[in-house]
Amino acid sequence: MPLTKDFKANVMARAHRDKAFCNALLTEAINEFLTGDIDVGKAMLRDYINAAISFEILSTMLGKNPKSLMRMLGPQGNPTSKSPFEIFHVIQKLKKMKITILLK
């Protein structure tokens, strides 16, 4: 079942006002990529980008077309393994954070 606009709007609104929620969204996106659920990882990363930085800013930093990035992270998109890591690198720069992986 597709998500409704109200649900997506609520997620975006909460991500805008709650930094911990926004960071958790990014963490879960990365975890989904690492566990092999690429479709869920792309969707969560797309939501994070929309809430935290925007595709326009990301595209400028990467030197890519914003529509191309949106398609890459869309349901039919097929990013190479390099692309998400480039995005994570830019996120770290823009948000002045360091993404670390905790092994259990």
Side-chain angles (χ1 to χ4, degrees):
M1 175 191 328
L3 299 177
T4 65
K5 284 188 178 187
D6 289 339
F7 178 79
K8 287 188 176 197
N10 287 337
V11 169
M12 294 301 108
R14 180 155 182 211
H16 281 296
R17 71 175 184 273
D18 185 348
K19 184 178 179 182
F21 179 81
C22 195
N23 288 342
L25 192 59
L26 177 61
T27 299
E28 287 305 313
I30 293 168
N31 284 336
E32 294 301 329
F33 275 107
L34 293 175
T35 60
D37 198 341
I38 305 304
D39 291 335
V40 173
K42 289 187 309 182
M44 294 184 88
L45 183 56
R46 189 174 56 248
D47 288 344
Y48 175 84
I49 292 166
N50 280 319
I53 55 178
S54 85
F55 275 97
E56 288 75 23
I57 292 171
L58 180 64
S59 68
T60 300
M61 297 286 294
L62 289 172
K64 296 183 179 184
N65 183 307
K67 296 288 185 189
S68 174
L69 291 172
M70 287 181 218
R71 279 191 303 274
M72 176 184 68
L73 295 176
Q76 303 302 314
N78 189 16
T80 64
S81 61
K82 179 180 174 184
S83 298
F85 289 103
E86 289 175 331
I87 293 170
F88 298 142
H89 178 74
V90 169
I91 289 169
Q92 288 181 112
K93 287 172 103 173
L94 288 173
K95 293 297 184 177
K96 296 179 174 71
M97 66 166 60
K98 182 174 181 170
I99 297 170
T100 58
I101 305 299
L102 180 63
L103 300 175
K104 293 182 181 181

